[in-house]
Amino acid sequence: MYNERIKRAELQSRIITATQAAALFRDQMVVASSGFTKAGDSKAVLKALAARAQEDPLQITLLTGASLGHGTDGILTTAHVLKKRMPFQVDPILRQSINDGEVLFIDQHLGESAELIHEKVIPKVDIAVIEALMLEEDGSIVPTTSVGNSPAFAAAADKIIVEINMSVPVSLHGIHDIFMAGNWPNRQIIPVTDAGTRIGSHAIKIDPEKIAGIVLTETTDSPAQINERDDKTRAIAGHLLTFFEREIRLGRLTHRLRPLQSGIGKVANAVMEGFIDGNFHDLTMYSEVMQDSTFSLIDAGKLLLGSASSITVSEACYHRVFNNFEKYKPHIVLRPQDISNAAEVIRRLGVISINTAIECDIYGNVNSTHIGGTHMMNGIGGSNDFARNAYLSIFVTQSSSKAGAISHIVPMASHIDNTEHDVDIIVTENGLADLRGLAPRERAKLIIANCAHASYRDELNDYFSNACKTGGHTPHRLQEALSWHTRFKDNGTMLRTVPL
Amino acid sequence: MYNERIKRAELQSRIITATQAAALFRDQMVVASSGFTKAGDSKAVLKALAARAQEDPLQITLLTGASLGHGTDGILTTAHVLKKRMPFQVDPILRQSINDGEVLFIDQHLGESAELIHEKVIPKVDIAVIEALMLEEDGSIVPTTSVGNSPAFAAAADKIIVEINMSVPVSLHGIHDIFMAGNWPNRQIIPVTDAGTRIGSHAIKIDPEKIAGIVLTETTDSPAQINERDDKTRAIAGHLLTFFEREIRLGRLTHRLRPLQSGIGKVANAVMEGFIDGNFHDLTMYSEVMQDSTFSLIDAGKLLLGSASSITVSEACYHRVFNNFEKYKPHIVLRPQDISNAAEVIRRLGVISINTAIECDIYGNVNSTHIGGTHMMNGIGGSNDFARNAYLSIFVTQSSSKAGAISHIVPMASHIDNTEHDVDIIVTENGLADLRGLAPRERAKLIIANCAHASYRDELNDYFSNACKTGGHTPHRLQEALSWHTRFKDNGTMLRTVPL
Ligand SMILES: CC(C)(COP(=O)(O)OP(=O)(O)OC[C@H]1O[C@@H](n2cnc3c(N)ncnc32)[C@H](O)[C@@H]1OP(=O)(O)O)[C@@H](O)C(=O)NCCC(=O)NCCS
Ligand SMILES: CC(C)(COP(=O)(O)OP(=O)(O)OC[C@H]1O[C@@H](n2cnc3c(N)ncnc32)[C@H](O)[C@@H]1OP(=O)(O)O)[C@@H](O)C(=O)NCCC(=O)NCCS
């Protein structure tokens, strides 16, 4: 059985248990793991490491592609294994520890971490744990449902532990496109000129001597949560589709649009699903993650090609796709995240990027990471890799939430990840603001009128007109600029409470 | 005389005066002009337009490469000609109007404006005014001391007015490298793999029928201000050179360093001059602007190649360079600003970028544009084109200024142009903070200890430790976060005044 997945016969003797693998780690090591938006992550070894730490405490720096599934980050946190963590996470237990200052988190552009490793800017990787579909005759690693940073980790690590996941169908063989640009002064062009261009090989070349152990697993990826489309996400998708139709009428886009990127979250997925009913055709995606909507669009004959660094889908979609993989395979490429998120390629392809904001301010600055300016949610992820270089950089958010207590359009963003220079379009269920070619004062009027919730609109207008009295290119009243956030903290609502 | 500079004979009859040229403009036109960091700008036509407007009022949208010289932006502002202005400026009179909300300013990444024009995201250019060294037989335009956005302007404009500047030596012929990547779906790779790679032609190809007039000028560029090195800039340069030596010892850099970018301002120039005395050799520059230091480094045999979009030097340097241009020519390439500032190339070359901050906060966010969070200084320029994609992104600033009344290290930046994700190193005359691989709480301690001025250090430490009590990945006390700026506005100093 497993022999078919370990084509290099001499490696078959390196099979060990997850517990044995966990014994290879030492305190203060730098550990890297595969895994990107919960896909293709370590299912066994990191958990065994947490179990071991209960009796034999140790602390590590953990690098990944992006988020891990199966609560692994939480389990590692509870076992006090994590000293430092980068570049992204979505785990509620880990998040709490980060915000308590216990785990040091480095929130990095997902497109950049591989380069920092190659350039030895972040510490040397001691052990890499990489989930694999199989090992080839030359020992190279065929990844599973994500590529993430695995090529960089495998190249940098002293030792590699491979987790062969027997549950992933071997029909995935061939969907990966592994390319490394190399380092200065020999850093190469990334010759992707179309969402589907293949530029590398199907597997990660390694020195097989580095393989310190092979662990067999059969746990599938954590399924993506399904968020039913609701009135708000439907309205946001509607505004965006109307906007695209207008751009087509103006001759700036065609019904093919441009290669699409859509971030995590229910809104982005709803927008993508919206394309099924529209007049759009021959679409392509150049994105980070393929979600359920990617496969719905392939089924509908609308999407020609999806390129990303992972496949993260619901349980139902997982079965549909992987039980019929030959159907989807010609439409899919999985790339390392420094290629899926490469500035060079995103700009060359003129990507249309759609990401979710935690909050936007009236001048178009976007907070993607910090609740109330202080508390980390997930991380910047690839949002700025795309927003910074996209042809069209779109941010979506609800206008308000928590029964109206939170306005997602605020006078001043309490933290800024995507600056006014990188945000073209803001959309809420109320409407869309096209900020291109507008000065800050013009943007403020448009964002307040089109995007803000009715119950906050007057106060935003008051803020803006008072701020204009003190002048400036970007008028603000600094003493009030963050008062909505402090009010929420004190009163549980950003709404101005009636004075006694 | 001028015939030698107008090689296409039929165009010689199109010579007109600046006043005649000014009559070609209409109210509400979109006008584009050559000019980048005051080099290669329109010397005659825009001024004649301002003069005309005194009697015959009109308003235009004005696009340039970057800043104009000779007070032209101020003269246009005073004549009420400017309705909208993009993407950069440095003029005190225009700045005032922008901050008064009279002129609408769009502060854009300098590397992006050409693409916005090609993609028709910003309005169609009616007339482009382009300073030229000469016109070739096919009508193509050879630029002078800058390229800027001129290729994009010439391609987009309905009409072109050429200013042939007779004062610029014809020996500049051949230093330009004009390349346009084209638009999606045919956007090309930008195949620059070394600071000196030439990928285009020496002149801007145009349809000669677009030339509506040729104006002869002989005014030289506005000279760059010379800022004498002082103790502070010397100290900043010293910290940086020590840092580079350390990186070399650690094996991350060699004495060739990487291609260097250095922004405008006295500190950046002082750092570059510092390389003359160091052990560095075979240096290259991949930058926006070549300043005096570029030529000092060529003279010293330290710099092999300088690539930029303009040459902006002091009067003395101007004469030295242009009277001996054959000596410098092999070491120089002038490119369009969407190539000098291309994400793709900056990342491929692994540029070391050095830019000046208005202020930095304790977590490493940088304000490059807004005094007190509201008032525009110059614009983001190319700072984030470089910082976002550089191998090493360095920001320099004094720790304090105005006799200690302003701290340039603040609890929270009052505006953010370069986010914590894009800032690797902060340097003041006090010291250097290497933020790579550090979480926000680690960064805060380092920035306060190494970079802040002694008279602000205790208060910054107090702020940080109080903020840590309320927790978060990035601890802040929002009600105090911007109080230093409001204090400066109210009291003329950020120093805590002694309570009565
Ligand atoms: C921004 C992001 C968190 C939004 O995701 P989402 O699923 O739409 O999140 P929500 O709108 O439900 O907000 C998350 C929580 O923060 C809360 N919140 C949001 N803004 C808040 C504010 N200003 N004050 C207080 N709480 C706030 C919400 O109420 C919600 O709380 P809950 O979980 O208790 O209900 C997510 O898209 C993200 O992490 N983005 C960054 C990474 C990225 O963009 N990657 C793109 C490429 S994959
Ligand atoms: C940031 C930048 C303005 C600094 O330039 P500089 O010449 O070193 O500027 P200074 O430090 O002298 O500061 C400019 C003025 O603002 C004032 N200032 C700076 N910070 C201030 C603050 N927080 N509050 C009030 N005033 C402040 C200074 O005191 C000075 O005032 P003065 O002219 O009355 O003396 C300049 O580098 C820039 O425009 N950068 C953005 C563009 C860029 O980086 N391009 C890079 C590629 S070329």
Side-chain angles (χ1 to χ4, degrees), chain B residues 36-37 88 90 110 227 261-267 288-289 354-359 367-372 377-383 386 395 397-398 401-402 406-408 410 414 485 488 494:
Chain B
F36 194 96
T37 28
F88 190 75
V90 299
L110 295 185
N227 292 300
Q261 176 259 341
S262 107
I264 49 175
K266 53 187 177 182
V267 181
E288 249 177 36
V289 46
I354 307 169
N355 290 294
T356 309
I358 285 181
E359 63 186 9
N367 175 1
S368 301
T369 54
H370 283 69
I371 304 289
M377 183 74 197
N378 302 326
I380 190 166
S383 62
F386 285 93
F395 281 89
T397 179
Q398 315 171 55
S401 67
K402 303 248 187 214
I406 295 172
S407 174
H408 294 269
V410 291
S414 58
H485 300 86
F488 178 74
M494 287 187 179

Short mmCIF file of all heavy atoms in Angstrom, two decimals, chain B residues 36-37 88 90 110 227 261-267 288-289 354-359 367-372 377-383 386 395 397-398 401-402 406-408 410 414 485 488 494, ligand 2:
data_model
loop_
_atom_site.label_atom_id
_atom_site.label_comp_id
_atom_site.label_asym_id
_atom_site.label_seq_id
_atom_site.Cartn_x
_atom_site.Cartn_y
_atom_site.Cartn_z
N PHE B 36 10.90 65.13 -13.21
CA PHE B 36 11.03 64.15 -12.13
C PHE B 36 12.11 64.66 -11.18
O PHE B 36 13.22 64.94 -11.63
CB PHE B 36 11.42 62.78 -12.72
CG PHE B 36 11.27 61.65 -11.75
CD1 PHE B 36 10.12 60.87 -11.73
CD2 PHE B 36 12.28 61.37 -10.82
CE1 PHE B 36 9.98 59.84 -10.82
CE2 PHE B 36 12.14 60.34 -9.91
CZ PHE B 36 10.99 59.57 -9.91
N THR B 37 11.75 64.79 -9.89
CA THR B 37 12.66 65.45 -8.92
C THR B 37 13.33 66.65 -9.56
O THR B 37 14.55 66.80 -9.52
CB THR B 37 13.74 64.49 -8.34
OG1 THR B 37 14.04 63.46 -9.27
CG2 THR B 37 13.28 63.89 -7.05
N PHE B 88 2.91 63.76 -7.36
CA PHE B 88 3.90 64.17 -6.35
C PHE B 88 4.18 65.64 -6.54
O PHE B 88 4.02 66.16 -7.64
CB PHE B 88 5.20 63.35 -6.55
CG PHE B 88 6.23 63.48 -5.45
CD1 PHE B 88 6.03 62.84 -4.23
CD2 PHE B 88 7.41 64.22 -5.63
CE1 PHE B 88 6.99 62.94 -3.21
CE2 PHE B 88 8.36 64.32 -4.62
CZ PHE B 88 8.15 63.67 -3.41
N VAL B 90 6.64 69.13 -4.48
CA VAL B 90 7.43 69.56 -3.31
C VAL B 90 7.34 71.07 -3.14
O VAL B 90 8.18 71.66 -2.47
CB VAL B 90 8.94 69.18 -3.45
CG1 VAL B 90 9.12 67.67 -3.55
CG2 VAL B 90 9.60 69.86 -4.65
N LEU B 110 4.89 56.40 -7.17
CA LEU B 110 5.43 56.88 -8.46
C LEU B 110 5.55 55.77 -9.49
O LEU B 110 5.49 56.03 -10.69
CB LEU B 110 6.79 57.55 -8.24
CG LEU B 110 6.74 58.83 -7.40
CD1 LEU B 110 8.12 59.47 -7.35
CD2 LEU B 110 5.72 59.82 -7.93
N ASN B 227 22.90 70.09 1.08
CA ASN B 227 22.80 70.07 2.54
C ASN B 227 24.14 69.59 3.07
O ASN B 227 24.54 68.45 2.83
CB ASN B 227 21.71 69.10 2.98
CG ASN B 227 20.33 69.60 2.60
OD1 ASN B 227 19.92 70.67 3.02
ND2 ASN B 227 19.64 68.85 1.75
N GLN B 261 19.12 51.89 -3.35
CA GLN B 261 18.21 53.00 -3.65
C GLN B 261 18.33 53.98 -2.52
O GLN B 261 18.36 53.59 -1.34
CB GLN B 261 16.76 52.52 -3.75
CG GLN B 261 15.75 53.67 -3.97
CD GLN B 261 15.00 54.09 -2.71
OE1 GLN B 261 14.95 53.35 -1.75
NE2 GLN B 261 14.44 55.29 -2.71
N SER B 262 18.43 55.23 -2.82
CA SER B 262 18.41 56.20 -1.73
C SER B 262 17.48 57.33 -2.09
O SER B 262 17.50 57.86 -3.20
CB SER B 262 19.82 56.65 -1.41
OG SER B 262 20.06 57.93 -1.85
N GLY B 263 16.60 57.66 -1.16
CA GLY B 263 15.56 58.66 -1.39
C GLY B 263 16.11 60.07 -1.36
O GLY B 263 17.32 60.29 -1.21
N ILE B 264 15.20 61.01 -1.53
CA ILE B 264 15.59 62.41 -1.49
C ILE B 264 15.86 62.81 -0.05
O ILE B 264 15.44 62.15 0.88
CB ILE B 264 14.48 63.31 -2.08
CG1 ILE B 264 13.11 62.98 -1.48
CG2 ILE B 264 14.46 63.16 -3.58
CD1 ILE B 264 12.01 63.92 -1.94
N GLY B 265 16.59 63.90 0.13
CA GLY B 265 16.83 64.42 1.47
C GLY B 265 18.29 64.30 1.87
O GLY B 265 19.04 63.51 1.30
N LYS B 266 18.64 65.10 2.86
CA LYS B 266 20.06 65.21 3.19
C LYS B 266 20.62 63.94 3.82
O LYS B 266 21.78 63.59 3.62
CB LYS B 266 20.28 66.41 4.12
CG LYS B 266 19.42 66.43 5.37
CD LYS B 266 19.59 67.75 6.13
CE LYS B 266 18.65 67.76 7.34
NZ LYS B 266 18.71 68.99 8.10
N VAL B 267 19.79 63.21 4.58
CA VAL B 267 20.32 62.04 5.26
C VAL B 267 20.71 60.96 4.27
O VAL B 267 21.81 60.40 4.32
CB VAL B 267 19.31 61.48 6.28
CG1 VAL B 267 19.90 60.28 6.99
CG2 VAL B 267 18.90 62.56 7.26
N GLU B 288 15.57 55.85 -7.88
CA GLU B 288 14.70 56.79 -8.57
C GLU B 288 15.47 57.95 -9.13
O GLU B 288 15.18 58.47 -10.19
CB GLU B 288 13.74 57.37 -7.53
CG GLU B 288 12.36 56.96 -7.67
CD GLU B 288 11.54 57.53 -6.55
OE1 GLU B 288 11.78 58.67 -6.10
OE2 GLU B 288 10.65 56.82 -6.10
N VAL B 289 16.44 58.42 -8.31
CA VAL B 289 17.11 59.67 -8.63
C VAL B 289 18.61 59.52 -8.33
O VAL B 289 18.99 58.90 -7.35
CB VAL B 289 16.48 60.85 -7.85
CG1 VAL B 289 16.25 60.51 -6.40
CG2 VAL B 289 17.29 62.12 -7.95
N ILE B 354 16.85 53.03 1.09
CA ILE B 354 17.05 53.95 2.21
C ILE B 354 16.19 55.18 1.97
O ILE B 354 16.42 55.93 1.01
CB ILE B 354 18.53 54.38 2.33
CG1 ILE B 354 19.44 53.15 2.39
CG2 ILE B 354 18.74 55.29 3.55
CD1 ILE B 354 20.93 53.47 2.23
N ASN B 355 15.16 55.37 2.79
CA ASN B 355 14.26 56.51 2.63
C ASN B 355 14.11 57.26 3.93
O ASN B 355 14.41 56.73 5.00
CB ASN B 355 12.91 56.03 2.10
CG ASN B 355 13.00 55.55 0.67
OD1 ASN B 355 13.26 56.33 -0.24
ND2 ASN B 355 12.85 54.25 0.46
N THR B 356 13.63 58.48 3.82
CA THR B 356 13.47 59.31 5.01
C THR B 356 12.03 59.28 5.49
O THR B 356 11.11 59.34 4.69
CB THR B 356 13.88 60.77 4.69
OG1 THR B 356 15.16 60.75 4.07
CG2 THR B 356 13.95 61.61 5.95
N ALA B 357 11.86 59.18 6.80
CA ALA B 357 10.53 59.19 7.40
C ALA B 357 10.24 60.57 7.99
O ALA B 357 11.16 61.23 8.49
CB ALA B 357 10.45 58.15 8.50
N ILE B 358 8.99 60.99 7.96
CA ILE B 358 8.59 62.15 8.76
C ILE B 358 8.53 61.72 10.23
O ILE B 358 9.03 62.42 11.10
CB ILE B 358 7.23 62.70 8.28
CG1 ILE B 358 7.43 63.46 6.96
CG2 ILE B 358 6.59 63.59 9.34
CD1 ILE B 358 6.18 64.07 6.39
N GLU B 359 7.94 60.56 10.48
CA GLU B 359 7.95 60.00 11.84
C GLU B 359 7.76 58.50 11.76
O GLU B 359 7.22 57.97 10.77
CB GLU B 359 6.84 60.63 12.72
CG GLU B 359 5.44 60.35 12.21
CD GLU B 359 4.34 61.10 12.99
OE1 GLU B 359 4.66 61.97 13.82
OE2 GLU B 359 3.15 60.80 12.73
N ASN B 367 5.32 57.17 8.75
CA ASN B 367 4.61 58.26 8.10
C ASN B 367 5.61 58.97 7.19
O ASN B 367 6.62 59.47 7.66
CB ASN B 367 4.08 59.20 9.20
CG ASN B 367 3.41 60.46 8.66
OD1 ASN B 367 3.32 60.67 7.45
ND2 ASN B 367 2.96 61.31 9.57
N SER B 368 5.34 58.98 5.90
CA SER B 368 6.26 59.63 4.95
C SER B 368 5.67 60.92 4.39
O SER B 368 6.33 61.58 3.60
CB SER B 368 6.54 58.71 3.75
OG SER B 368 7.10 57.51 4.15
N THR B 369 4.43 61.23 4.72
CA THR B 369 3.74 62.27 3.96
C THR B 369 3.07 63.38 4.77
O THR B 369 3.07 64.52 4.33
CB THR B 369 2.63 61.63 3.10
OG1 THR B 369 1.79 60.85 3.93
CG2 THR B 369 3.20 60.77 1.99
N HIS B 370 2.45 63.05 5.90
CA HIS B 370 1.54 64.01 6.54
C HIS B 370 2.11 64.57 7.84
O HIS B 370 2.28 63.84 8.81
CB HIS B 370 0.21 63.32 6.87
CG HIS B 370 -0.69 63.12 5.69
ND1 HIS B 370 -0.40 62.24 4.67
CD2 HIS B 370 -1.88 63.70 5.35
CE1 HIS B 370 -1.37 62.27 3.77
NE2 HIS B 370 -2.28 63.14 4.15
N ILE B 371 2.33 65.87 7.89
CA ILE B 371 2.74 66.52 9.14
C ILE B 371 1.51 66.56 10.06
O ILE B 371 0.43 66.99 9.64
CB ILE B 371 3.22 67.97 8.87
CG1 ILE B 371 4.35 67.99 7.84
CG2 ILE B 371 3.63 68.65 10.17
CD1 ILE B 371 5.67 67.47 8.28
N GLY B 372 1.70 66.06 11.27
CA GLY B 372 0.59 66.06 12.23
C GLY B 372 -0.61 65.25 11.77
O GLY B 372 -1.73 65.46 12.24
N MET B 377 3.03 66.95 3.19
CA MET B 377 4.37 67.52 2.96
C MET B 377 4.65 67.44 1.45
O MET B 377 4.41 68.40 0.74
CB MET B 377 5.38 66.74 3.80
CG MET B 377 6.79 67.26 3.71
SD MET B 377 6.98 68.80 4.64
CE MET B 377 8.52 69.40 3.91
N ASN B 378 5.09 66.27 0.96
CA ASN B 378 5.40 66.14 -0.47
C ASN B 378 4.54 65.07 -1.14
O ASN B 378 3.95 65.30 -2.18
CB ASN B 378 6.88 65.77 -0.65
CG ASN B 378 7.82 66.80 -0.04
OD1 ASN B 378 7.51 67.99 -0.04
ND2 ASN B 378 8.93 66.35 0.51
N GLY B 379 4.53 63.90 -0.52
CA GLY B 379 3.84 62.76 -1.13
C GLY B 379 4.64 61.51 -0.84
O GLY B 379 5.80 61.58 -0.41
N ILE B 380 4.04 60.37 -1.09
CA ILE B 380 4.70 59.10 -0.78
C ILE B 380 5.85 58.84 -1.75
O ILE B 380 6.82 58.14 -1.41
CB ILE B 380 3.68 57.93 -0.77
CG1 ILE B 380 4.31 56.65 -0.21
CG2 ILE B 380 3.10 57.69 -2.16
CD1 ILE B 380 3.31 55.57 0.15
N GLY B 381 5.80 59.45 -2.92
CA GLY B 381 6.88 59.28 -3.88
C GLY B 381 7.10 57.81 -4.19
O GLY B 381 6.15 57.03 -4.31
N GLY B 382 8.36 57.45 -4.28
CA GLY B 382 8.67 56.05 -4.55
C GLY B 382 8.96 55.27 -3.29
O GLY B 382 9.38 54.12 -3.36
N SER B 383 8.74 55.89 -2.12
CA SER B 383 9.23 55.24 -0.89
C SER B 383 8.65 53.84 -0.73
O SER B 383 9.36 52.90 -0.41
CB SER B 383 8.95 56.10 0.34
OG SER B 383 7.57 56.32 0.53
N PHE B 386 9.77 51.06 -3.26
CA PHE B 386 11.01 50.41 -2.86
C PHE B 386 10.86 49.64 -1.55
O PHE B 386 11.19 48.46 -1.48
CB PHE B 386 12.14 51.45 -2.78
CG PHE B 386 12.61 51.86 -4.15
CD1 PHE B 386 12.07 52.96 -4.79
CD2 PHE B 386 13.56 51.11 -4.82
CE1 PHE B 386 12.47 53.32 -6.08
CE2 PHE B 386 13.97 51.46 -6.11
CZ PHE B 386 13.42 52.57 -6.74
N PHE B 395 14.55 52.99 6.97
CA PHE B 395 14.05 54.36 7.09
C PHE B 395 14.93 55.13 8.07
O PHE B 395 15.25 54.62 9.15
CB PHE B 395 12.59 54.39 7.54
CG PHE B 395 11.65 54.11 6.39
CD1 PHE B 395 11.28 52.82 6.08
CD2 PHE B 395 11.20 55.14 5.59
CE1 PHE B 395 10.45 52.55 4.99
CE2 PHE B 395 10.36 54.89 4.50
CZ PHE B 395 9.99 53.60 4.20
N THR B 397 15.62 58.94 10.08
CA THR B 397 15.02 60.20 10.53
C THR B 397 15.85 60.70 11.70
O THR B 397 16.58 59.93 12.33
CB THR B 397 13.54 60.02 10.92
OG1 THR B 397 13.02 61.29 11.37
CG2 THR B 397 13.35 59.02 12.05
N GLN B 398 15.78 61.99 11.97
CA GLN B 398 16.36 62.50 13.21
C GLN B 398 15.49 62.00 14.36
O GLN B 398 14.29 61.82 14.19
CB GLN B 398 16.33 64.02 13.25
CG GLN B 398 16.78 64.70 11.99
CD GLN B 398 16.50 66.18 12.06
OE1 GLN B 398 16.93 66.87 12.99
NE2 GLN B 398 15.77 66.71 11.09
N SER B 401 13.54 67.12 16.47
CA SER B 401 13.91 68.33 15.72
C SER B 401 13.22 69.53 16.33
O SER B 401 12.53 69.40 17.34
CB SER B 401 13.56 68.18 14.23
OG SER B 401 12.16 68.13 14.06
N LYS B 402 13.40 70.69 15.69
CA LYS B 402 12.87 71.96 16.21
C LYS B 402 13.27 72.10 17.68
O LYS B 402 12.39 72.21 18.57
CB LYS B 402 11.35 72.05 16.05
CG LYS B 402 10.90 71.89 14.60
CD LYS B 402 10.32 73.14 14.00
CE LYS B 402 9.75 72.82 12.63
NZ LYS B 402 9.85 73.85 11.63
N ILE B 406 9.88 68.40 18.63
CA ILE B 406 9.25 67.31 17.89
C ILE B 406 10.04 66.03 18.11
O ILE B 406 11.25 66.01 17.92
CB ILE B 406 9.23 67.62 16.38
CG1 ILE B 406 8.33 68.83 16.09
CG2 ILE B 406 8.77 66.41 15.57
CD1 ILE B 406 8.41 69.33 14.65
N SER B 407 9.35 64.97 18.53
CA SER B 407 9.97 63.65 18.54
C SER B 407 9.56 62.95 17.26
O SER B 407 8.38 62.90 16.92
CB SER B 407 9.49 62.84 19.75
OG SER B 407 10.00 61.52 19.67
N HIS B 408 10.53 62.42 16.54
CA HIS B 408 10.19 61.69 15.32
C HIS B 408 9.91 60.21 15.60
O HIS B 408 9.58 59.47 14.69
CB HIS B 408 11.27 61.88 14.26
CG HIS B 408 11.36 63.30 13.79
ND1 HIS B 408 10.65 63.77 12.71
CD2 HIS B 408 12.02 64.37 14.28
CE1 HIS B 408 10.89 65.06 12.56
NE2 HIS B 408 11.72 65.46 13.50
N VAL B 410 7.24 58.25 17.74
CA VAL B 410 6.00 58.58 18.45
C VAL B 410 5.26 57.29 18.84
O VAL B 410 5.54 56.22 18.29
CB VAL B 410 5.07 59.46 17.56
CG1 VAL B 410 5.67 60.86 17.38
CG2 VAL B 410 4.80 58.81 16.21
N SER B 414 0.81 59.28 13.02
CA SER B 414 -0.45 60.00 12.78
C SER B 414 -0.98 59.77 11.37
O SER B 414 -2.10 60.14 11.04
CB SER B 414 -0.24 61.49 13.04
OG SER B 414 0.78 61.99 12.20
N HIS B 485 0.80 64.50 19.18
CA HIS B 485 0.56 65.40 18.05
C HIS B 485 -0.37 66.54 18.45
O HIS B 485 -0.16 67.68 18.04
CB HIS B 485 -0.02 64.60 16.87
CG HIS B 485 0.89 63.52 16.39
ND1 HIS B 485 0.91 62.26 16.95
CD2 HIS B 485 1.85 63.52 15.43
CE1 HIS B 485 1.83 61.54 16.35
NE2 HIS B 485 2.41 62.26 15.42
N PHE B 488 1.58 68.98 20.52
CA PHE B 488 2.45 69.84 19.70
C PHE B 488 1.64 70.98 19.10
O PHE B 488 2.08 72.12 19.06
CB PHE B 488 3.13 69.02 18.61
CG PHE B 488 4.01 69.85 17.70
CD1 PHE B 488 5.24 70.32 18.15
CD2 PHE B 488 3.60 70.19 16.41
CE1 PHE B 488 6.06 71.10 17.32
CE2 PHE B 488 4.40 70.96 15.58
CZ PHE B 488 5.63 71.42 16.04
N MET B 494 6.05 68.59 21.75
CA MET B 494 5.53 67.28 22.13
C MET B 494 5.96 66.92 23.55
O MET B 494 5.48 65.93 24.10
CB MET B 494 6.07 66.21 21.18
CG MET B 494 5.45 66.25 19.79
SD MET B 494 5.99 64.82 18.84
CE MET B 494 5.11 65.11 17.29
C1 LIG C 2 9.90 62.66 4.59
C2 LIG C 2 10.56 63.87 3.95
C3 LIG C 2 9.57 65.03 3.93
C4 LIG C 2 11.77 64.25 4.80
O1 LIG C 2 12.56 65.17 4.12
P1 LIG C 2 13.58 66.12 4.91
O2 LIG C 2 14.18 67.04 3.94
O3 LIG C 2 14.51 65.27 5.71
O4 LIG C 2 12.53 66.88 5.82
P2 LIG C 2 12.66 67.48 7.28
O5 LIG C 2 13.08 66.46 8.28
O6 LIG C 2 13.52 68.69 7.16
O7 LIG C 2 11.15 67.83 7.60
C5 LIG C 2 10.41 68.68 6.81
C6 LIG C 2 9.63 69.69 7.67
O8 LIG C 2 8.58 69.03 8.37
C7 LIG C 2 8.69 69.29 9.77
N1 LIG C 2 8.24 68.15 10.53
C8 LIG C 2 8.68 66.89 10.42
N2 LIG C 2 8.01 66.11 11.27
C9 LIG C 2 7.11 66.87 11.90
C10 LIG C 2 6.11 66.62 12.87
N3 LIG C 2 5.92 65.38 13.35
N4 LIG C 2 5.34 67.63 13.29
C11 LIG C 2 5.51 68.87 12.80
N5 LIG C 2 6.45 69.16 11.86
C12 LIG C 2 7.23 68.18 11.43
C13 LIG C 2 10.16 69.53 9.96
O9 LIG C 2 10.42 70.19 11.16
C14 LIG C 2 10.48 70.34 8.72
O10 LIG C 2 9.94 71.64 8.90
P3 LIG C 2 10.71 72.95 8.37
O11 LIG C 2 10.76 72.80 6.87
O12 LIG C 2 9.81 74.05 8.85
O13 LIG C 2 12.04 72.88 9.03
C15 LIG C 2 11.03 63.55 2.50
O14 LIG C 2 12.03 62.57 2.55
C16 LIG C 2 9.89 63.03 1.65
O15 LIG C 2 9.12 63.79 1.09
N6 LIG C 2 9.70 61.69 1.57
C17 LIG C 2 8.59 61.06 0.88
C18 LIG C 2 8.97 60.71 -0.52
C19 LIG C 2 10.06 59.71 -0.55
O16 LIG C 2 10.43 59.10 0.43
N7 LIG C 2 10.62 59.49 -1.70
C20 LIG C 2 11.66 58.47 -1.75
C21 LIG C 2 12.10 58.21 -3.05
S1 LIG C 2 12.78 59.72 -3.76
#
